[in-house]
DNA sequence: AATCGCGGTGTTATCGGTAACAGAATGAAT
DNA sequence: ATTCATTCTGTTACCGATAACACCGCGATT
């Protein structure tokens, strides 16, 4: 592998000049820069991350802290991971995964945290490196998330537009900002249209939403749409409507949320609000690296729109 | 952060002795070792991975190459990843993810490759670092996998034991060793019991297995069990049996394979062959690190047993 | 008693980068 | 012409670890 030194010799300059071309190009004349770029190209120079890390007193490592239990977890993490990993790669950064099983928080330049709940606040605050959350929060920590409120508002509008008379919201029974935002998006639009919100919150498992539908089937006349805060809940609803031989999407509509994997497993395919998971992962990575380079300066929030992805569960 | 030097001073020895205690403890007297361990403990010494990497001309990075397309991918990758990551962590190694979108194969000490197909052989062989596959292969590359043949044999035995008369094998239509092994496990046991194997291979998507059942419903009398090479296929089968108001598990049984996530999504929960994904991930990590330390020496294969996890789709 | 061998420890140079400082060249100001 | 400021480039030391070598003291060998 070619080193800085090799490039320097080839370009007839000192190592330092090459280093400057890479890190502070404005301090080098255009003439030399050209020579150096040329030499780098010819030698196919790739910086040595370890050396860079050592010299900068960095680790070139970002740790991803996953606070949820894996098995209760939605399958979107792989997309998040690839988004993060690919972005980090560009800056010669590595990713390290931390899960509940592996709490040992070694050294890193920064953290990305996901699956956070209120009770994890102390843990997060104890991290002594730049940190970015995946998932909205009201603790004032920089985050990346879908625009949950807007997302559900959009879906509610769509359901109304499609002529479903009754629109039932099935939320996730946790007291977290994302859940409140989704509910709020629904409520706001319902109120705007002079319709009565109808909200139930359940644990996020398909068997609970199925059981809920079963036990309350009489409450749901034809022309009802179930707006679910997750595809998982949506799956259970579909399953149980089918048990009652309900007609989807004619008499009953279902809209889920997340748009990763599960919506395609459903039959008919679930209409869902698809999140841009990979892009959000990349955004997390960019944000945490920026924060690292700016000595931990706050970066604010970044919200991504969801896409209403039509399946066979809505008219 | 405490360094080697700090530890050395505290223990009144040279850096080199401390380094030896870590890497070649047999070269140091017990007396000094004690002193050094003591000092390390007191200072909470953690080796600096970057410095180590630089001195050893290593990267302390293992790359994970995922050759499958993410969206067609089973959701078990997260478990694999955590298994790998946690194990690598123990040796101050980082993980880097490579996907189709990010083919740029930078520097690393070794590779773990998964989702490999025959046509990827050239790519694998071109990797110039110790490589381990997740997934059996007959190209002579070291691998870790479930014991696919034994797994299906076990399931077939179980189905017979439970008194299902007809046992239909629904495989994945790819010409890969893992698929052949699974089929072979089924065939062997069927033959041993003097039963006629009955095999169909489909693309690995629930809609195809559902369609298959629909189109051939007449071929499947009561008391039939469908042994599926994946939970995905199993899901489709269940769905379609329910469409025909078939009684699961009374008249029809279904067994899937993989045991990650999907089996729990199914209703009733799918009886499946659960793979020890996390453990296999750790095994991949150990194997590739061993290979790195032994200059690429072949490590052979490592097979893991699956666990027959009973759900509601078998008697 | 002088020499040899050897286990155990310290010294030096090195891995590939970077910051801080030193020094050379240029043009402007006196 | 001399001085000074400015811009650019090179030199040096260092980040934290390790391999290779040098060295020291000891018992065994002659």
């Amino acid at each position: 592998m070619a080193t800085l030194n090799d490039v320097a010799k080839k370009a007839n300059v000192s190592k330092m000049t090459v280093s400057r071309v890479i890190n502070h190009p404005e301090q080098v004349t255009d003439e030399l820069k050209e020579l150096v770029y040329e030499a780098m190209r010819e030698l196919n120079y790739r910086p040595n991350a370890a050396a860079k890390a050592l010299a900068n007193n960095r680790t070139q490592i970002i740790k991803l802290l996953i606070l949820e239990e894996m098995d209760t977890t939605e399958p979107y993490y792989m997309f998040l991971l690839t988004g993060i990993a690919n972005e980090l790669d560009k800056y010669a950064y590595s990713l390290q995964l931390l899960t509940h099983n592996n709490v040992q928080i070694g050294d890193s330049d920064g953290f990305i945290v996901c699956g956070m709940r209120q009770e994890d606040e102390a843990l997060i605050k104890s991290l002594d490196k730049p940190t970015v959350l995946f998932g909205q929060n009201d603790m004032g920590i920089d985050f990346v998330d879908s625009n949950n409120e807007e997302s559900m508002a959009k879906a509610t509008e769509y359901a109304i537009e499609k002529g479903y008379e009754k629109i039932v919201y099935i939320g996730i029974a946790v007291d977290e900002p994302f859940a409140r935002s989704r509910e709020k998006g629904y409520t706001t639009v319902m109120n705007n249209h002079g319709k009565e919100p109808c909200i139930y919150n359940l644990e996020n498992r398909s068997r609970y939403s199925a059981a809920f539908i079963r036990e309350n089937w009489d409450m749901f006349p034809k022309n009802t749409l179930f707006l679910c805060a997750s595809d998982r809940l949506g799956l259970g609803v579909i399953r149980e409507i089918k048990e009652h031989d309900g007609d989807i999407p004619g008499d009953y509509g279902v809209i889920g949320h997340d748009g990763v994997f599960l919506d395609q497993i459903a039959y008919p395919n679930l209409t869902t609000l698809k999140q841009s998971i990979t892009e959000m992962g990349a955004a997390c990575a960019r944000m945490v690296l920026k924060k690292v380079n700016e000595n931990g300066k706050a970066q604010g929030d970044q919200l991504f729109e969801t896409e209403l992805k039509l399946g066979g569960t809505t008219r």
Side-chain angles (χ1 to χ4, degrees), chain A:
Chain A
M1 218 29 165
T3 72
L4 255 198
N5 230 329
D6 301 333
V7 175
K9 279 186 195 139
K10 182 129 204 157
N12 276 316
V13 296
S14 71
K15 305 200 309 183
M16 207 47 224
T17 300
V18 179
S19 173
R20 283 196 188 97
V21 169
I22 296 170
N23 299 301
H24 310 284
E26 75 285 357
Q27 299 178 5
V28 182
T29 54
D30 292 348
E31 198 182 0
L32 281 188
K33 259 187 288 201
E34 268 318 310
L35 280 176
V36 170
Y37 283 136
E38 175 68 18
M40 294 202 301
R41 222 173 306 120
E42 281 179 31
L43 296 173
N44 188 29
Y45 171 72
R46 302 268 164 253
N48 180 314
K52 184 181 178 124
L54 186 58
N56 285 332
N57 197 20
R58 291 267 172 80
T59 61
Q60 300 293 121
I61 290 171
I62 296 295
K63 300 227 175 195
L64 176 64
L65 198 50
I66 299 182
L67 296 175
E68 286 173 272
E69 280 303 332
M70 270 309 180
D71 19 348
T72 67
T73 260
E74 305 293 336
Y76 61 55
Y77 270 112
M78 272 312 289
F79 291 89
L80 187 68
L81 266 179
T82 54
I84 295 173
N86 287 350
E87 190 68 19
L88 290 182
D89 241 31
K90 296 183 190 162
Y91 305 95
Y93 261 83
S94 286
L95 180 65
Q96 274 186 13
L97 263 186
L98 295 183
T99 60
H100 267 123
N101 308 324
N102 184 22
V103 204
Q104 107 94 326
I105 298 185
D107 212 15
S108 74
D109 296 343
F111 294 94
I112 299 174
V113 181
C114 47
M116 207 208 64
R117 295 286 184 250
Q118 305 284 2
E119 71 253 31
D120 299 314
E121 175 160 6
L123 172 62
I124 306 295
K125 297 257 158 114
S126 79
L127 298 177
D128 54 342
K129 291 283 162 58
T131 300
V132 165
L133 294 194
F134 173 67
Q136 73 181 89
N137 71 93
D138 40 25
M139 295 157 29
I141 305 178
D142 303 328
F143 71 80
V144 171
D145 201 347
S146 290
N147 188 337
N148 289 300
E149 183 174 341
E150 167 60 24
S151 181
M152 279 308 186
K154 179 161 52 184
T156 311
E157 289 284 5
Y158 183 79
I160 292 173
E161 187 184 307
K162 285 289 165 183
Y164 288 101
E165 181 59 29
K166 179 166 184 152
I167 298 172
V168 177
Y169 181 79
I170 300 190
I172 299 175
V174 290
D175 185 28
E176 295 290 336
F178 85 93
R180 289 196 292 274
S181 291
R182 290 186 191 173
E183 183 176 314
K184 187 172 169 209
Y186 162 78
T187 312
T188 305
V189 170
M190 289 295 274
N191 287 337
N192 287 350
H193 285 264
K195 295 173 91 83
E196 187 68 27
C198 174
I199 296 172
Y200 302 95
N201 286 302
L202 307 174
E203 190 182 331
N204 186 27
R205 294 190 156 262
S206 58
R207 86 172 76 110
Y208 291 112
S209 57
F212 170 77
I213 300 293
R214 190 179 321 125
E215 288 157 18
N216 300 280
W217 182 244
D218 296 340
M219 291 170 45
F220 307 124
K222 290 187 177 180
N223 213 14
T224 293
L225 180 135
F226 297 93
L227 179 56
C228 305
S230 78
D231 289 339
R232 243 183 196 202
L233 291 171
L235 279 191
V237 171
I238 293 178
R239 183 199 301 155
E240 198 58 28
I241 292 176
K242 279 158 82 179
E243 288 289 326
H244 287 86
D245 288 320
D247 173 26
I248 301 176
D251 294 332
Y252 296 94
V254 185
I255 297 181
H257 196 286
D258 289 349
V260 183
F261 195 78
L262 284 182
D263 59 312
Q264 299 166 52
I265 288 298
Y267 183 82
N269 283 181
L270 186 55
T271 292
T272 189
L273 294 150
K274 186 181 170 68
Q275 306 192 71
S276 308
I277 306 282
T278 308
E279 290 75 8
M280 289 196 280
C284 284
R286 273 192 298 275
M287 190 182 278
V288 76
L289 289 187
K290 188 142 179 281
K291 203 165 171 176
V292 167
N293 286 328
E294 296 174 359
N295 294 308
K297 194 185 132 207
Q299 302 290 323
D301 315 330
Q302 195 173 347
L303 292 178
F304 281 71
E305 296 308 305
T306 58
E307 174 207 349
L308 182 65
K309 183 181 166 196
L310 300 179
T313 61
T314 46
R315 291 172 191 151

